[in-house]
Amino acid sequence: MAVFQLDNDLWFPDPHLGEESGLVAVGGDLSVDRLILAYSNGFFPWYSFHRKEPWWYCPLQRFVIFPKEIHVSHSMRQLIRQNRYRLSINEDFDGVIKGCATAQDRIEEEGAWLGPNIIKAYTALHHQGFAASVEVWDEDRLVGGLYGVSLGSSFFGESMFSLVPSASKLALIHLARTFEMLGGQLIDCQFETPHLRSMGGRYIPYEEYISIISK
């Protein structure tokens, strides 16, 4: 197992050669072209923003949600029927990514990763049509949401936040339902959490994963 040093050229190594944790490479940059190449091959950057260079991960067991398999609990169905919150897509990408960075004082935590360089990089992706956000509104107040990278029939989730109970769940359900309607095949969750598993997340091998995102 090895961790590769990237340079100024656009390339990524074979993920099967990386560490068991999924770490495969360090270095390079967060340019739009490199990020698109990364996600197209199952890589994503994940590292403390205090570090000087990106760390690139590509786990060989991928935790994903298939949009048609999204689990909506009874309590969530009740919340949706109440129409208390308004849901939108790409109305406030800046607000969502900043909310993901700062909610619950995340930016102050050791190992915080959503810093200025990440925000700048994914905002550039959004401006070119490769990153999207889902917003949850309580009247005019943004109370939750998520953002990620959208390539072809796959959506690569990056982060979500809630300022009121279940806001991020509402955002994920709205994403899955809208994405399925538009022909989306897969939502990459990157890492397992109890929250995502309860909503239908499961593991698939990298070979199945890459065959889906390559379509």
Side-chain angles (χ1 to χ4, degrees):
M1 296 183 179
V3 176
F4 294 79
Q5 178 69 52
L6 299 184
D7 49 31
N8 291 330
D9 294 331
L10 293 179
W11 67 283
F12 283 96
D14 182 346
H16 294 86
L17 302 176
E19 294 189 344
E20 187 175 350
S21 66
L23 178 63
V24 184
V26 299
D29 56 28
L30 295 173
S31 67
V32 168
D33 287 343
R34 191 182 298 273
L35 285 169
I36 291 174
L37 178 64
Y39 284 97
S40 297
N41 290 278
F43 287 79
F44 57 87
W46 188 56
Y47 65 108
S48 167
F49 68 82
H50 298 294
R51 296 185 183 276
K52 294 183 179 180
E53 56 185 1
W55 289 25
W56 299 92
Y57 285 77
C58 186
L60 296 181
Q61 291 295 315
R62 309 303 298 235
F63 195 72
V64 305
I65 292 176
F66 292 97
K68 64 182 180 181
E69 296 180 2
I70 189 75
H71 176 68
V72 184
S73 67
H74 176 69
S75 60
M76 289 305 300
R77 291 182 189 276
Q78 288 183 316
L79 181 59
I80 292 168
R81 283 196 294 267
Q82 291 172 5
N83 288 321
R84 176 176 177 181
Y85 301 108
R86 184 174 69 85
L87 302 167
S88 64
I89 293 178
N90 284 339
E91 280 194 16
D92 190 1
F93 184 90
D94 291 345
V96 168
I97 197 169
K98 290 173 183 175
C100 289
T102 59
Q104 289 84 45
D105 296 323
R106 295 174 182 174
I107 201 73
E108 304 297 332
E109 295 177 359
E110 183 178 357
W113 60 273
L114 220 173
N117 290 339
I118 290 285
I119 291 174
K120 180 180 178 181
Y122 285 84
T123 300
L125 273 179
H126 173 65
H127 288 160
Q128 295 201 28
F130 297 111
S133 61
V134 179
E135 299 87 20
V136 182
W137 303 91
D138 185 354
E139 297 183 347
D140 294 330
R141 179 188 175 216
L142 182 65
V143 295
L146 62 82
Y147 81 96
V149 176
S150 181
L151 293 176
S153 63
S154 299
F155 186 90
F156 306 85
E158 279 296 311
S159 187
M160 56 178 62
F161 79 103
S162 294
L163 300 181
V164 296
S166 299
S168 62
K169 290 184 178 181
L170 282 173
L172 182 56
I173 292 167
H174 187 60
L175 169 66
R177 289 177 168 176
T178 304
F179 203 45
E180 181 182 11
M181 182 179 64
L182 296 173
Q185 299 293 312
L186 177 146
I187 299 171
D188 181 1
C189 302
Q190 296 186 350
F191 296 111
E192 177 186 0
T193 68
H195 169 85
L196 293 171
R197 177 169 285 281
S198 72
M199 299 189 71
R202 60 184 173 93
Y203 284 102
I204 62 172
Y206 177 76
E207 287 69 25
E208 179 183 353
Y209 170 88
I210 201 68
S211 71
I212 295 171
I213 69 171
S214 297
K215 292 180 181 177

